[in-house]
Amino acid sequence: MDTDHRAGVHEIGLPTLIVHGAADFSAPVDVTRRHTAELIPDTTYKEYPTAGHGIRAGRHAQLNADRLASLTQ
């Protein structure tokens, strides 16, 4: 967690889905997701308002639907 990869993320050349739980206190949305989503071209950003850090466990149906939808875009 000590490495800052922000300088290289703009080189990602594939459509990217970024999901984030707004209730994630270990990685606050204001610090992480907004900046990352702005740095990667062709990004779809989805924020789950009541989800925390365990987004895969707590919102698996919504997350899987968003993943599948991003593959068909």
Side-chain angles (χ1 to χ4, degrees), residues 4-19:
D4 185 350
H5 295 284
R6 287 178 290 183
V9 296
H10 71 277
E11 297 175 12
I12 296 174
L14 299 170
T16 304
L17 173 64
I18 295 178
V19 295

Side-chain angles (χ1 to χ4, degrees), residues 1 4 6 18 20-22 24-39 45 47:
M1 298 297 249
D4 185 350
R6 287 178 290 183
I18 295 178
H20 203 104
D24 185 344
F25 298 109
S26 64
V29 294
D30 291 333
V31 176
T32 56
R33 64 90 182 166
R34 290 188 182 117
H35 300 295
T36 304
E38 292 170 359
L39 293 172
Y45 175 76
E47 185 173 302

